Amino acid sequence: MARFRKMLAAGTAMAAGLGWTGPAALANPGDEIVAITGATIFDATGTAPFRGTVIVRGGRIEAVGADVRIPPRATVVRAEGKALLPGFIDVHTHWSPAGSPRTLPQIASAYLESGVTTVNDFHQQPEAFAPRRAWLAGIEAPHVNFVARMSTPGGHGADWGDTSTTKWVATAESARREVQALQPYKPDFIKVFADGWRYGQLPEETSMNVETLTAIAEEAHKNGQRVLTHTVTVERGKLAAQAGIDVIAHSIQDGVLDDDAVAAIRKAGTSYAPTLAIYQLRPDEMGPGRKDDEATRLRIRKYGYAEENVRKLAAAGVPIALGTDAGIGSAKHGISTLQEMELLVAAGLTPKAALLAGTSNSALALGLLGDRGTIEKGKRADLVLIDGAPWETIGDVRKIERVFVDGKLVHGAGARRSPGNLATALPAVPAAPLIDDFERTDGRSTLDTLRLVDMDGGVERSRVVTNRVTHPGGGGNALAFAVEMSPKEKPEGGVLVPLSRGSVTPVDARGFTGVRLDMRGAGRYLVVVNTLAGEWTASVEAKEDWTELRVPFSALVPTRPRRENAPVPAWRGDDLVQVGVVVMREAGASAWGEIDNLGFY
């Protein structure tokens, strides 16, 4: 909690406005006491809003009520005329570098500014969980749950990244095995891309059978992890309920749920997070002068199904949770969470129901209701002060004045942000000369990072197989890779080596001249250097005999900025995250290569 000058007496109020007063900083910050007085409290338990006081001690709610005594040495927050709500929860976000905003500190700040105190991040490879948790611990941020991803071969979610990013499973046996393989990373939840229907506008991908989905749910539940699914069709909604899924994390949009489907979802105890924010109609798709082409008519019809299904499920007593898919498409971090509540009201829910979706219902869906989501004694003091009455006018959720996470003021007048919130990336660490000599047998590099397979994205993808082979002449081991090119334009495949765990911490290679490696192969290849700004490549030629290749940084050419329509980046040298080799051939062709002693010179 930001500290202010010692006042003459604890528990007295500032002369005017929303004020603070309290004692000098305590020797033990865990003993800090905050009293929020005079607010109209929407506690998200179902009780009508009431005027009262909330006492916070050590980050937890100690007392709440109309006649609560203010303890000595309390820091007092006068909140007359304001609304006090639990912090908002967003169960479906993607902290992607292609989103808006795009860096971890910027995204964290955007959520705090919107009163969002807990989010699920569906975007990271498990290798990134630990370093990102450590990064978040050093800045002001919401509570971030890291969600491991699972899909089917050829399914949605398996159309980018490799199996180190999204686990590909097609049987109950592989499902159980891969859930267990995720456990060392301590995922908070599991997301399953169970439905291959891509919103009726893109080629349909593979879907998951009920046996595999059930096995994932059972194995995850054994490990204390709830399961959320990408589910967008009526039939797959029924299957999610049958499999015992905890949260359907998208809108069902191919038709209206029948009564049997609604009953099955309710009986299974499955919550529903419709993510209307990602599907909402654009201004040119609404009103008398709207566009009238086939694609627009399809979007309007699908959104109508989405609205009708959330109304029908809510009326049947299915818990409606709040998710946005923020970080994907035009759904912006933070503000989309508030917009989702507005869209729920526009779809037919009451403002009170929308607020419950964004607080206690989402906590219930995630199994966190015993810890947060309501304003009750013993709960985590994640709180939002609002200048309005959003249970009457939902648009008032945008009138956020102050936000508390674990009882600490993180947004609003008097809040002090960590210097880390102003950074765009973690400080770079010096690059090591050797990246990988391929001697380890566990798939990890000399830097103790997990090697990645690089493939073209989409429904049909190139196939890459890697294997350690003996380097002739007593030179230890090398890495061999073989690529079967996908049947499409400009296929590619290869290997990337992260320079830090999960490619989270950049490295500074300005003390070196370029990239070096030993290689043999047949034809042209690309040496790839990925940076925080984008991808850089240089073409090299490999022969069937081993050759040392040296690629000066000056020979690298920028190819793909991290964000669409972003300007072409300038080479910096202090923001490197991955180095590797990729091969491009004709559709349907095959290619091979062997590399060793990858590093900098």
Side-chain angles (χ1 to χ4, degrees):
M1 182 66 59
R3 306 305 299 174
F4 289 84
R5 293 177 303 176
K6 184 174 180 181
M7 306 299 289
L8 294 177
T12 61
M14 280 184 162
L18 183 64
W20 291 68
T21 182
L26 299 169
N28 180 4
D31 293 334
E32 189 171 17
I33 307 169
V34 178
I36 304 173
T37 67
T40 301
I41 300 170
F42 181 92
D43 63 11
T45 66
T47 302
F50 61 94
R51 193 165 184 264
T53 294
V54 172
I55 306 297
V56 176
R57 186 192 298 266
R60 294 275 171 176
I61 297 171
E62 183 176 81
V64 55
D67 300 310
V68 172
R69 177 180 171 273
I70 300 175
R73 294 183 58 80
T75 297
V76 177
V77 180
R78 285 184 49 181
E80 287 80 3
K82 312 298 179 183
L84 184 66
L85 288 80
F88 300 132
I89 300 172
D90 195 326
V91 306
H92 188 158
T93 76
H94 294 261
W95 290 38
S96 160
S100 177
R102 66 188 186 91
T103 70
L104 184 145
Q106 291 169 339
I107 294 171
S109 297
Y111 280 109
L112 296 180
E113 290 163 7
S114 295
V116 183
T117 56
T118 297
V119 301
N120 286 351
D121 180 7
F122 286 2
H123 209 76
Q124 310 309 319
Q125 56 170 294
E127 279 279 304
F129 290 179
R132 289 178 79 91
R133 284 177 175 133
W135 190 357
L136 286 162
I139 67 173
E140 308 299 348
H143 307 289
V144 180
N145 300 312
F146 287 95
V147 183
R149 302 156 53 96
M150 302 185 73
S151 186
T152 52
H156 183 34
D159 42 18
W160 66 275
D162 67 353
T163 55
S164 297
T165 302
T166 304
K167 297 293 186 182
W168 302 356
V169 298
T171 66
E173 179 185 5
S174 63
R176 295 183 189 279
R177 182 178 63 248
E178 294 299 345
V179 170
Q180 286 305 315
L182 289 167
Q183 296 313 304
Y185 295 105
K186 300 180 180 179
D188 296 298
F189 303 102
I190 306 289
K191 178 184 178 179
V192 183
F193 295 86
D195 198 332
W197 192 74
R198 294 299 309 277
Y199 322 117
Q201 293 179 317
L202 297 172
E204 187 168 350
E205 298 174 305
T206 61
S207 295
M208 188 172 289
N209 60 56
V210 68
E211 293 83 6
T212 303
L213 188 56
T214 300
I216 290 174
E218 290 175 350
E219 203 67 25
H221 291 162
K222 288 179 186 177
N223 289 280
Q225 292 144 359
R226 295 201 170 197
V227 180
L228 305 91
T229 59
H230 172 99
T231 299
V232 293
T233 60
V234 172
E235 203 56 40
R236 292 284 155 181
K238 296 177 185 178
L239 187 145
Q242 182 182 346
I245 294 306
D246 300 289
V247 186
I248 292 174
H250 268 306
S251 279
I252 291 172
Q253 306 164 65
D254 69 328
V256 177
L257 287 160
D258 57 55
D259 291 343
D260 288 345
V262 171
I265 292 170
R266 180 181 179 183
K267 183 178 179 180
T270 302
S271 297
Y272 187 73
T275 62
L276 297 175
I278 194 67
Y279 301 125
Q280 63 180 304
L281 299 177
R282 299 184 295 267
D284 63 352
E285 296 173 330
M286 298 182 288
R290 69 188 182 202
K291 294 167 61 178
D292 190 26
D293 56 77
E294 183 178 350
T296 300
R297 288 192 295 271
L298 176 61
R299 276 178 48 80
I300 292 171
R301 183 167 65 252
K302 291 193 296 120
Y303 195 72
Y305 291 146
E307 289 187 311
E308 188 166 352
N309 285 328
V310 72
R311 286 194 298 269
K312 195 166 186 177
L313 289 166
V318 172
I320 305 301
L322 188 153
T324 59
D325 216 7
I328 300 297
S330 60
K332 295 183 178 181
H333 294 292
I335 195 68
S336 291
T337 309
L338 307 181
Q339 194 173 46
E340 182 75 12
M341 287 184 271
E342 296 171 327
L343 292 169
L344 288 171
V345 172
L349 274 63
T350 65
K352 177 182 176 181
L355 292 174
L356 293 177
T359 53
S360 55
N361 280 4
S362 288
L364 174 67
L366 299 179
L368 299 175
L369 189 56
D371 181 68
R372 68 195 75 168
T374 62
I375 300 178
E376 294 181 279
K377 182 178 179 179
K379 295 286 183 76
R380 194 178 293 274
D382 296 344
L383 304 166
V384 183
L385 267 176
I386 290 176
D387 185 15
W391 51 87
E392 296 174 354
T393 304
I394 194 62
D396 285 354
V397 292
R398 295 176 181 261
K399 300 177 181 178
I400 292 170
E401 293 212 348
R402 296 195 181 187
V403 180
F404 302 81
V405 173
D406 290 338
K408 180 180 181 180
L409 180 66
V410 293
H411 172 69
R416 295 179 182 176
R417 288 285 172 85
S418 161
N421 285 85
L422 304 177
T424 57
L426 285 172
V429 299
L434 179 62
I435 297 172
D436 202 351
D437 60 8
F438 306 102
E439 294 302 318
R440 291 182 60 158
T441 61
D442 57 1
R444 304 189 74 87
S445 72
T446 303
L447 301 175
D448 195 27
T449 61
L450 186 65
R451 286 190 292 271
L452 303 173
V453 168
D454 185 51
M455 300 169 281
D456 42 60
V459 178
E460 295 180 299
R461 309 186 68 187
S462 297
R463 293 192 294 175
V464 181
V465 178
T466 65
N467 191 31
R468 289 169 65 251
V469 295
T470 301
H471 193 138
N477 295 294
L479 186 75
F481 62 92
V483 184
E484 182 181 344
M485 299 295 168
S486 59
K488 62 184 177 186
E489 187 178 1
K490 296 182 179 179
E492 64 178 62
V495 178
L496 296 173
V497 182
L499 301 178
S500 66
R501 283 282 183 105
S503 306
V504 173
T505 303
V507 305
D508 186 344
R510 290 177 297 181
F512 298 93
T513 302
V515 177
R516 65 132 351 254
L517 69 158
D518 299 330
M519 184 171 182
R520 77 185 195 97
R524 306 298 297 182
Y525 298 79
L526 292 176
V527 171
V528 177
V529 179
N530 283 322
T531 73
L532 294 177
E535 179 188 77
W536 297 71
T537 64
S539 178
V540 296
E541 184 171 0
K543 301 178 181 179
E544 293 200 11
D545 293 329
W546 282 99
T547 306
E548 181 187 11
L549 301 176
R550 293 194 171 212
V551 179
F553 293 139
S554 59
L556 294 169
V557 177
T559 56
R560 292 182 296 201
R562 288 274 177 201
R563 305 180 72 193
E564 188 176 354
N565 299 322
V568 175
W571 176 262
R572 289 174 39 184
D574 63 347
D575 62 344
L576 281 62
V577 292
Q578 296 168 347
V579 175
V581 175
V582 169
V583 59
M584 303 177 71
R585 295 289 187 267
E586 296 295 322
S590 61
W592 66 277
E594 294 180 11
I595 56 176
D596 199 5
N597 299 319
L598 178 66
F600 298 109
Y601 72 94

